[in-house]
């Protein structure tokens, strides 16, 4: 098996016409260079040099090998520089998982933060729903993510809560916003809920199911949609009410349902936002950067949670 070390010793010997001179140039002992040349000759099954006096003369095979060796070493150096530039966040792709409504909180701002520090990188924010993102983490498609979770423990994952976002009841009917919404009122409400594809695992619905446990009922949905924007528009039309994160309500109601408002639940309910990655993983510089910037963005909007 040829090695880069062997090719480097070969090219230096070829250039200087002397194993001793090559050893001095490379900073190796002369026997070490001789051994690398012999190993290369054995691997190829040919002689590369003839000894003449105190020097060596390349064979015709060595003449043929030279250009290939130069290209191989140049390619290896290009690979090293490429890897180094990615590790230093000069180039390459930074991929990070985010919960579905992250675009309303930090999506564009987060990308801008990354590019301000590292203008040469490519950025991918992945995720439509937290449950999908967590599955991508488990399968190794993502290194780290910020998602909404219902528990600080998850098998094989390290979960670090960083913020919590209050879940609020939104409606176009002022009477329904006169006081906080209790579990019994929620059980009787006519709701439009987003995230219908992920309804079984969606963190907001999980919190509501837990809240309604005492009533023995589940949240009753009149309308199911995929995105929170459509849900808010339908609330604005007076066709149903909904429960969404407060951050989303503050951003979307003025634009999509200006006649609607929001009120807290009783007791107040929260989505917990957390950084999640595989337990025991050594995170890359890119993942550490995204965790730092995403946490700062989210904590500026939602209520920060600091680890004890």
């Amino acid at each position: 098996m040829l090695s880069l070390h062997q090719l480097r010793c070969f090219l230096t010997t070829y250039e200087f016409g002397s194993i001793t001179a090559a050893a001095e140039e490379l900073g190796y002992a002369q026997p070490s260079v001789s051994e690398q040349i012999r190993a290369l000759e054995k691997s190829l099954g040919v002689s590369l040099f003839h000894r003449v006096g105190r020097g060596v003369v390349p064979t015709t095979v060595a003449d043929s090998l030279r250009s290939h060796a130069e290209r191989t070493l140049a390619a290896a150096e290009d690979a090293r520089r490429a890897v180094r530039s990615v590790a230093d966040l000069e180039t390459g792709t930074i991929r990070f998982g985010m919960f579905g409504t992250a675009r309303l909180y930090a999506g564009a701002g987060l990308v801008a933060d990354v590019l301000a520090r590292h203008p040469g990188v490519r950025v991918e924010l992945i995720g439509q729903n937290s449950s999908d993102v967590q599955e991508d983490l488990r399968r190794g498609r993502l290194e780290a993510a910020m998602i909404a979770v219902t528990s600080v423990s998850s098998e094989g994952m390290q979960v670090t809560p960083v913020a919590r976002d209050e879940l609020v009841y939104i409606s176009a009917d002022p009477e329904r916003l006169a006081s906080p919404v209790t579990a019994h009122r929620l059980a009787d409400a006519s709701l439009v809920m987003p995230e219908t594809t992920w309804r079984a695992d969606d963190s907001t619905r999980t919190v509501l199911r837990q809240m309604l446990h005492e009533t023995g009922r589940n949240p009753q949905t009149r309308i199911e949609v995929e995105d929170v924007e459509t849900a808010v528009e339908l609330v604005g039309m007076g066709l149903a009410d909904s429960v969404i994160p407060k951050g989303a309500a503050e951003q979307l109601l003025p634009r999509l349902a200006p006649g609607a408002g929001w009120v807290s639940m009783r007791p107040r309910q929260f989505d917990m936002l957390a950084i999640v990655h595989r337990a025991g993983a050594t995170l890359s510089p890119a993942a550490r950067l995204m965790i730092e910037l995403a946490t700062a963005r989210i904590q500026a909007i939602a209520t920060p949670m600091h680890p004890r």
Side-chain angles (χ1 to χ4, degrees):
M1 180 70 69
L2 282 69
S3 71
L4 296 178
H5 185 40
Q6 290 171 353
L7 294 177
R8 192 169 290 110
C9 289
F10 161 73
L11 282 177
T12 307
T13 302
Y14 189 104
E15 177 182 355
F16 285 88
S18 166
I19 291 178
T20 301
E24 291 176 357
E25 174 68 15
L26 294 169
Y28 301 146
Q30 187 270 340
S32 176
V33 175
S34 295
E35 177 58 31
Q36 293 303 313
I37 297 295
R38 284 195 297 270
L40 181 58
E41 290 177 328
K42 182 178 180 180
S43 178
L44 295 173
V46 298
S47 294
L48 295 172
F49 297 102
H50 298 303
R51 286 193 172 274
V52 177
R54 295 185 178 182
V56 293
V57 175
T59 65
T60 56
V61 176
D63 291 334
S64 177
L65 176 62
R66 179 185 182 181
S67 61
H68 295 285
E70 289 174 338
R71 288 197 296 270
T72 298
L73 291 177
E77 178 59 21
D78 286 345
R80 186 198 67 78
R81 283 196 296 265
V83 170
R84 187 70 265 160
S85 69
V86 171
D88 293 338
L89 302 182
E90 295 173 359
T91 61
T93 296
I94 295 179
R95 186 177 294 107
F96 189 70
M98 290 288 280
F99 58 98
T101 54
R103 64 190 180 281
L104 304 176
Y105 294 71
L110 177 58
V111 172
D113 291 342
V114 175
L115 296 181
R117 290 197 190 186
H118 304 283
V121 301
R122 178 175 176 271
V123 182
E124 292 184 5
L125 292 184
I126 309 296
Q128 293 295 319
N129 180 273
S130 292
S131 59
D132 262 14
V133 173
Q134 192 154 6
E135 182 61 24
D136 283 343
L137 286 167
R138 293 187 187 282
R139 293 179 178 273
R141 296 169 182 160
L142 289 170
E143 190 177 358
M146 176 177 286
I147 58 177
V149 298
T150 57
S151 171
V152 297
S153 62
S154 181
E155 185 177 356
M157 293 289 163
Q158 180 172 324
V159 180
T160 305
V162 296
R164 63 178 190 168
D165 197 9
E166 184 179 1
L167 298 177
V168 296
Y169 188 93
I170 63 173
S171 177
D173 185 344
E175 292 187 6
R176 298 173 192 165
L177 305 177
S179 61
V181 175
T182 63
H184 284 88
R185 278 184 59 194
L186 181 65
D188 292 330
S190 177
L191 300 177
V192 53
M193 293 298 293
E195 311 286 3
T196 185
T197 295
W198 299 277
R199 69 181 77 179
D201 303 309
D202 177 59
S203 62
T204 295
R205 298 193 194 215
T206 299
V207 171
L208 296 184
R209 284 194 291 268
Q210 293 170 349
M211 179 182 178
L212 289 179
H213 179 71
E214 65 182 78
T215 71
R217 296 168 63 183
N218 283 324
Q220 298 300 306
T221 57
R222 180 183 183 189
I223 308 169
E224 291 278 346
V225 296
E226 289 290 4
D227 60 280
V228 68
E229 288 90 346
T230 300
V232 170
E233 287 187 274
L234 290 167
V235 170
M237 295 175 185
L239 297 177
D241 296 341
S242 190
V243 177
I244 63 174
K246 181 180 175 182
E250 290 178 333
Q251 294 197 43
L252 294 178
L253 289 181
R255 177 163 56 90
L256 300 178
W262 62 267
V263 69
S264 294
M265 316 286 281
R266 181 182 292 161
R268 294 171 70 193
Q269 303 294 319
F270 296 88
D271 255 348
M272 182 165 60
L273 307 178
I275 295 295
V276 183
H277 56 80
R278 294 182 70 85
T282 300
L283 298 177
S284 69
R288 294 196 298 270
L289 171 71
M290 294 303 291
I291 288 171
E292 172 196 343
L293 296 178
T295 298
R297 279 276 171 183
I298 293 299
Q299 289 186 339
I301 298 169
T303 304
M305 295 177 65
H306 300 287
R308 297 179 179 179

